[in-house]
Amino acid sequence: MRNHGGSRVSTYVYANDPILQAGVTSTLRMCAEVRLVAGCSVDSAEVAVVVADALDDAVYRNLRAIQRGGVPRTMLVLGSLDETTVVAAAEAGVSGMIRRTDATRDNLVAQIKRIAAGGGAVPPDLVGTLLEEVGYLQRRGGFPRRPAGAPLSEREIEVLRLVSEGFDTAAIADELCYSERTVKSVLHGVTTRLHLRNRTHAVAYAMREGLI
């Protein structure tokens, strides 16, 4: 069963290299905040951590297979991570991503917990350049047209602005004096109405539209 409010995050780890798989698994096994699940129980995981050198076709296919397996949130740990990869990962429905060089035990666990709680993770140096790269999705048809008569509300824009600045759900709620449930409801409303995959995709959409 998935953990709803408990202290341990059920986590599935997949790497396309057995040494990477063993290393990340060994690191997380020592962490009290994480409960590892095997491949046969992937549908019980709250977060899947996918470790690879780059987001190539093979990793993309495995990522999609994991998502189809029922894991609600996925995180990429990549050796190579740039602006184009961030946008492609957002299009693929990834909730967060970090570079392998930043994947210390403490940081890895912190990002897993943030993603399980509904947050996102993008390296700070890539957030500011996301606007320049969203043309990638536009060329591929990854962004829907903005529905006539359905612009983002001031509240939705403010929430997405804070997401783009790295605030998690709790921090956004504190900043705007909302409940966490309200923040989640706002984000769910945006992604559902505009057919976006997650909050990272929503931020990229808002940037392209010049809203944040």
Side-chain angles (χ1 to χ4, degrees):
M1 294 181 63
R2 289 197 171 102
N3 175 10
H4 297 287
S7 60
R8 304 184 76 194
V9 180
S10 54
T11 304
Y12 170 70
V13 176
Y14 170 82
N16 58 0
D17 179 277
I19 295 176
L20 289 177
Q21 177 88 31
V24 175
T25 299
S26 176
T27 296
L28 293 179
R29 185 172 287 123
M30 297 185 293
C31 301
E33 302 94 332
V34 172
R35 180 178 64 84
L36 293 177
V37 300
C40 58
S41 303
V42 65
D43 60 345
S44 69
E46 296 170 82
V47 176
V49 177
V50 177
V51 189
D53 290 326
L55 182 56
D56 56 22
D57 289 343
V59 173
Y60 189 90
R61 287 194 298 271
N62 285 319
L63 185 63
R64 285 302 202 190
I66 290 169
Q67 292 167 341
R68 288 194 300 270
V71 182
R73 297 186 174 277
T74 48
M75 179 174 120
L76 286 173
V77 181
L78 298 178
S80 174
L81 185 55
D82 57 20
E83 295 91 343
T84 302
T85 304
V86 168
V87 179
E91 185 186 31
V94 171
S95 299
M97 60 210 82
I98 62 174
R99 295 183 176 95
R100 287 218 311 258
T101 52
D102 297 325
T104 62
R105 183 179 65 178
D106 290 347
N107 191 29
L108 197 56
V109 171
Q111 300 301 348
I112 289 171
K113 290 172 67 177
R114 171 179 287 193
I115 289 170
V122 177
D125 64 295
L126 296 179
V127 174
T129 58
L130 191 57
L131 178 59
E132 299 174 2
E133 296 296 325
V134 292
Y136 174 82
L137 279 181
Q138 188 175 18
R139 291 193 297 274
R140 292 186 58 185
F143 283 111
R145 290 185 175 275
R146 185 174 171 183
L152 295 178
S153 69
E154 289 296 321
R155 182 169 71 168
E156 290 169 337
I157 291 171
E158 190 67 6
V159 168
L160 288 176
R161 181 183 66 78
L162 292 175
V163 171
S164 75
E165 293 175 4
F167 284 60
D168 62 16
T169 301
I172 293 171
D174 289 342
E175 181 75 11
L176 300 179
C177 298
Y178 295 156
S179 68
E180 291 188 38
R181 177 175 293 182
T182 296
V183 174
K184 291 177 181 178
S185 177
V186 169
L187 290 169
H188 177 74
V190 171
T191 55
T192 300
R193 188 173 76 248
L194 299 180
H195 308 291
L196 302 168
R197 290 183 173 84
N198 52 38
R199 63 178 62 194
T200 306
H201 199 186
V203 167
Y205 172 83
M207 284 181 168
R208 182 178 72 84
E209 292 295 312
L211 299 174
I212 59 175

